[in-house]
């Protein structure tokens, strides 16, 4: 796998679930390492990317013929391009969660294991064990980090940055541009991509805060319904996630405002205009960045241990 990194925590769960289900779906943000993980977990599976035009057209025009040619277990990458495929023993990989999951729910309900791969956790980055949530801490000791906190928050956790040693200020602008111009255009009927880019930056300024749809709509100059739809796009494409409040009263958990977090602090720093780690020390959102980091690490610990 990636040099210096033994393996992703989710790998064992991916292999386990492939023994339980005829189809396993691996989703997550772009460039989180899904293809690398799937091919490392199943090296004998045939690999096909539906990103390639000829493969995609074949699958769309003759799905039965496409599946018949596979002749055994296979990894189908970028499956969101042909979500109508109803295969046999396959590993499906996709970055657009809601396009893919809608088809999975319709055609593979009860026959498909669904796993989410996020960017590296801090433990994965340092090749340290990551205990399951709520596991006794004395089972794993108290591993110390060799990473600088602010540099780590600035760099973020996307594998490509660490694998290729690409400066985050070089890689992240291209990532955002690709996400907005390619994924957002295909995910939702968003006519003004520049306005969506502004909306994304305004969301960054609200990281680790209660999400107020009305205020966000006013600041961006769009309707509240549009804000809800665009937040849903960010959520289902694994850019942000919403953390509901914890109240003893269950109804309050449902109706009270959630907090908004980004899955990656490097991306968050880029959207906030932070161009070097030293800026974080005096940035007004330094506390929000740190809180976002802690909560995102907690989310990774749960999802990479196959827990909601």
């Amino acid at each position: 796998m990636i040099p210096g990194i033994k393996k992703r925590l989710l790998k064992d769960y991916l292999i386990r679930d492939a023994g339980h289900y005829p189809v396993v779906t691996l989703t997550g943000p772009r460039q989180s390492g899904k293809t690398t993980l799937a091919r490392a977990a199943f090296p004998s599976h045939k690999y096909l990317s539906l990103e390639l035009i000829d493969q995609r057209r074949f699958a769309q025009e003759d799905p039965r013929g496409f599946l018949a040619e596979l002749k055994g277990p296979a990894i189908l990458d970028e499956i969101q391009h042909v979500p109508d495929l109803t295969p046999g023993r396959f590993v499906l990989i996709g970055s657009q969660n809601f396009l893919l999951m809608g088809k999975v729910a319709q055609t593979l309900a009860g026959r498909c294991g669904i796993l989410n791969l996020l960017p590296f956790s801090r433990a994965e980055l340092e090749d340290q064990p990551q205990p399951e949530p709520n596991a006794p801490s004395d089972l794993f000791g108290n591993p110390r980090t060799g990473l600088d906190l602010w540099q780590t928050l600035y760099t973020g956790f996307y594998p490509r940055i660490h694998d290729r040693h690409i400066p985050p200020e070089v890689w992240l602008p291209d990532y955002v541009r690709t996400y907005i111009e390619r994924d957002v255009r295909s995910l939702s009927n968003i006519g003004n991509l520049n306005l969506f880019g502004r909306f994304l930056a305004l969301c960054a300024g609200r990281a680790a805060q209660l999400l107020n749809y009305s205020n966000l709509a006013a600041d961006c100059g769009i309707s509240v319904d549009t804000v809800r739809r665009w937040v849903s796009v960010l959520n289902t494409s694994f850019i942000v996630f919403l953390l509901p409040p914890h109240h003893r009263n269950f109804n309050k958990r449902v109706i009270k405002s959630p907090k908004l977090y980004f899955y990656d602090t490097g991306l968050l720093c880029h959207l906030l205009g932070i161009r070097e780690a030293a800026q974080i020390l005096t940035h007004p959102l330094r506390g929000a960045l740190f809180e976002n980091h802690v909560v995102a690490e907690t989310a990774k610990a749960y999802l990479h241990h196959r827990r909601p």
Side-chain angles (χ1 to χ4, degrees), residues 147-156 168 276-278 280:
L147 302 176
D148 176 78
L149 174 62
W150 306 120
Q151 184 63 51
T152 301
L153 267 59
Y154 171 72
T155 302
E276 58 180 18
I280 300 178

Side-chain angles (χ1 to χ4, degrees), residues 289-303:
L289 273 165
F290 180 70
E291 178 182 333
N292 194 114
H293 170 60
V294 173
V295 176
E297 285 294 294
T298 304
K300 294 173 191 175
Y302 275 86
L303 292 176

Side-chain angles (χ1 to χ4, degrees), residues 14-261:
L14 181 61
I15 295 172
R16 181 201 68 180
D17 284 11
H20 296 328
Y21 297 98
V23 178
V24 177
T25 301
L26 183 62
T27 66
R30 284 199 175 274
Q31 300 293 326
S32 64
K34 299 182 297 297
T35 301
T36 302
L37 173 60
R39 300 189 74 171
F42 307 104
S44 62
H45 281 35
K46 185 174 182 178
Y47 173 81
L48 289 173
S49 174
L50 296 173
E51 186 86 335
L52 301 175
I53 298 298
D54 56 340
Q55 295 284 2
R56 187 191 314 175
R57 185 177 296 117
F58 181 22
Q60 290 171 334
E61 296 176 356
D62 184 10
R64 289 189 178 183
F66 175 82
L67 295 174
E69 282 199 357
L70 295 177
K71 299 178 182 177
I75 298 170
L76 301 183
D77 207 345
E78 301 294 343
I79 188 65
Q80 71 272 4
H81 292 303
V82 195
D84 290 311
L85 282 177
T86 55
R89 299 200 65 84
F90 296 145
V91 177
L92 310 181
I93 305 174
S95 301
Q96 299 176 2
N97 195 31
F98 58 124
L99 283 180
L100 180 59
M101 291 302 100
K103 295 297 182 180
V104 168
Q106 293 173 30
T107 61
L108 297 172
R111 299 189 294 118
C112 179
I114 301 171
L115 299 90
N116 298 313
L117 183 70
L118 301 177
F120 287 141
S121 66
R122 185 210 58 79
E124 287 176 319
L125 199 57
E126 297 194 87
D127 196 22
Q128 294 179 351
Q130 183 158 41
E132 289 193 45
N134 304 322
S137 59
D138 57 348
L139 293 179
F140 295 88
N142 184 23
R144 295 183 178 274
T145 179
L147 302 176
D148 176 78
L149 174 62
W150 306 120
Q151 184 63 51
T152 301
L153 267 59
Y154 171 72
T155 302
F157 297 88
Y158 281 101
R160 184 60 62 92
I161 289 176
H162 297 277
D163 177 27
R164 303 289 179 87
H165 304 289
I166 303 174
E169 62 270 18
V170 173
W171 190 82
L172 286 167
D174 292 334
Y175 184 86
V176 171
R177 191 176 304 114
T178 300
Y179 170 71
I180 291 178
E181 294 180 359
R182 177 179 170 181
D183 290 348
V184 170
R185 192 187 298 274
S186 65
L187 291 174
S188 183
N189 185 22
I190 296 175
N192 192 333
L193 294 180
N194 290 329
L195 183 60
F196 186 86
R198 181 186 175 199
F199 168 78
L200 185 57
L202 288 171
C203 286
R206 289 164 168 78
Q209 298 178 28
L210 293 175
L211 180 57
N212 187 312
Y213 291 98
S214 297
N215 287 350
L216 185 53
D219 287 350
C220 196
I222 55 179
S223 69
V224 172
D225 286 344
T226 299
V227 168
R228 291 184 182 276
R229 182 164 57 89
W230 287 4
V231 168
S232 178
V233 168
L234 294 177
N235 188 16
T236 51
S237 53
F238 298 97
I239 298 296
V240 306
F241 62 101
L242 304 181
L243 184 68
H246 182 74
H247 289 279
R248 291 187 178 182
N249 186 311
F250 179 79
N251 290 334
K252 288 185 177 181
R253 297 186 200 178
V254 176
I255 64 175
K256 293 292 185 180
S257 296
K259 273 190 166 185
L260 176 71
Y261 293 99

